């Protein structure tokens, strides 16, 4: 994990202006490493298998968004159906809708989350979660993909909405591959 983070930090540092003092570059490098490691640990604690962070600058700015693909969630018990899982996950978590991803019925939940108390984060985030059923599983299992952005500090802004639309478009291209 640390090697991947260091590679990202090095790429980002290469994009800093050449006239930035060395001491400032060192501070930026250490802070970026710390923040990326913190994000990776948080994703890992949430059973994240993959963490996607945009690290390339777009028009000089870093895109304030990420998404995590989590380990498949299992549901056991007689008569446990997809609708019950989707309903159970969605209760109290935001607006929920049924969508089709790669020909399968999935669930999409969207909500706005206030910044955590006693944290460095000062803006609410807009979150979108997809629950995708794993095809061919002998018992009900789902893959969770969770997106988060602070956008421009306003969760309902055009910019935040554009980032959500981009994530949704990416999910709609999702396809299962079979060996």
């Amino acid at each position: 994990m640390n090697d991947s983070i260091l590679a990202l930090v090095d790429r980002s540092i290469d994009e800093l202006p050449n006239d930035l003092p060395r001491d400032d570059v060192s501070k930026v490098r250490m802070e970026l490493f710390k923040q990326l490691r913190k994000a990776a640990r948080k994703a890992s604690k949430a059973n994240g298998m993959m963490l996607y962070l945009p690290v390339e600058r777009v028009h000089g700015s870093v895109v304030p968004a990420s998404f995590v693909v989590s380990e498949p969630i299992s549901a056991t018990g007689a008569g446990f159906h997809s609708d019950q899982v989707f309903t159970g996950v969605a209760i109290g978590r935001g607006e929920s809708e049924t969508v089709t991803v790669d020909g399968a019925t999935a669930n999409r939940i969207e909500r706005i989350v206030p910044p955590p108390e006693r944290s460095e984060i000062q803006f609410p985030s807009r979150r979108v979660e997809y629950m995708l059923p794993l095809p061919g599983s002998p018992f009900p299992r789902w893959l969770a993909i969770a997106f988060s952005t602070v956008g421009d500090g306003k969760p309902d802004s055009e910019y935040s909405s554009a980032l959500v639309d981009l994530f949704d478009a990416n999910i709609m291209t999702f396809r299962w591959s079979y060996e």
Side-chain angles (χ1 to χ4, degrees):
M1 171 176 75
N2 284 339
D3 290 343
S4 298
I5 292 172
L6 282 173
L8 290 173
V9 169
D10 288 342
R11 276 192 16 216
S12 293
I13 294 301
D14 288 344
E15 294 180 17
L16 291 174
N18 292 332
D19 59 349
L20 195 65
R22 284 179 66 93
D23 287 348
D24 290 347
V25 170
S26 295
K27 288 177 190 174
V28 169
R29 190 178 206 292
M30 288 184 344
E31 183 61 24
L32 183 56
F33 180 77
K34 182 176 113 180
Q35 292 299 325
L36 290 174
R37 233 173 103 172
K38 184 177 175 181
R41 276 196 207 116
K42 188 175 178 182
S44 179
K45 283 181 184 176
N47 293 324
M49 296 185 313
M50 291 176 265
L51 170 64
Y52 294 88
L53 295 165
V55 293
E56 298 289 326
R57 294 183 184 275
V58 177
H59 301 293
S61 298
V62 175
V63 178
S66 65
F67 71 92
V68 176
V69 178
S70 297
E71 290 184 20
I73 300 164
S74 298
T76 56
F80 206 35
H81 299 289
S82 304
D83 293 348
Q84 291 169 315
V85 170
F86 293 158
T87 302
V89 168
I91 289 175
R93 292 182 62 102
E95 288 185 35
S96 176
E97 67 178 306
T98 301
V99 296
T100 302
V101 178
D102 192 21
T105 300
N107 189 263
R108 180 187 182 280
I109 303 164
E110 184 170 347
R111 63 194 167 127
I112 295 174
V113 178
E117 290 183 25
R118 297 183 303 275
S119 80
E120 302 164 359
I121 301 167
Q122 53 185 322
F123 300 109
S125 61
R126 190 155 164 190
R127 309 251 176 108
V128 177
E129 299 170 61
Y130 280 84
M131 297 287 292
L132 310 171
L134 269 66
S137 179
F139 52 91
R141 291 180 65 191
W142 292 267
L143 185 68
I145 304 172
F147 169 82
S148 181
T149 183
V150 293
D152 54 4
K154 301 173 197 129
D156 291 330
S157 72
E158 223 175 278
Y159 180 63
S160 295
S161 294
L163 292 174
V164 168
D165 289 346
L166 181 60
F167 174 69
D168 285 336
N170 277 307
I171 293 297
M172 290 304 133
T173 67
F174 182 90
R175 299 294 176 264
W176 293 103
S177 65
Y178 304 94
E179 291 184 9

